[in-house]
Amino acid sequence: NIGVTAVQIKVRNRDSGQWLQADGSFGPTADWIDTVVTNPGQLNVTWSIDLTLPPARYNPVTQAFDAAGNIGTQTVFRPFTVI
């Protein structure tokens, strides 16, 4: 396919079951949040997002898009804890 042009993330608080919203609050439904992609259009990109999260256990999920609008199908499970 074509290189990655965008990456989005959604983050679930495993302790409360709530999802991070684009405004930084938490709610009952998942909200896909845009990230900053370095070198969009390449096959391998780096992405980042600045988040301020309260102490809890979290599960992030990401999705990547290419220039044709295809959504990547590979998801990596990387839970983390904020202390």
Side-chain angles (χ1 to χ4, degrees), residues 40-69:
Q42 303 298 312
L43 294 179
N44 294 304
V45 299
T46 300
W47 60 270
S48 63
I49 188 168
D50 289 328
L51 298 175
T52 301
L53 300 172
R57 298 175 306 140
Y58 296 96
N59 286 345
V61 178
T62 58
Q63 62 183 10
F65 297 85
D66 68 14

Side-chain angles (χ1 to χ4, degrees), residues 1-7 37-46 64-67:
N1 285 327
I2 303 168
V4 176
T5 58
V7 175
V37 177
T38 304
N39 299 323
Q42 303 298 312
L43 294 179
N44 294 304
V45 299
T46 300
F65 297 85
D66 68 14

Side-chain angles (χ1 to χ4, degrees), residues 6-7 11 14 19 23 26 33 36 39 48-49 51 66 79 83:
V7 175
V11 181
R14 294 184 334 204
W19 291 90
D23 67 2
F26 284 84
I33 302 168
V36 176
N39 299 323
S48 63
I49 188 168
L51 298 175
D66 68 14
I83 300 172

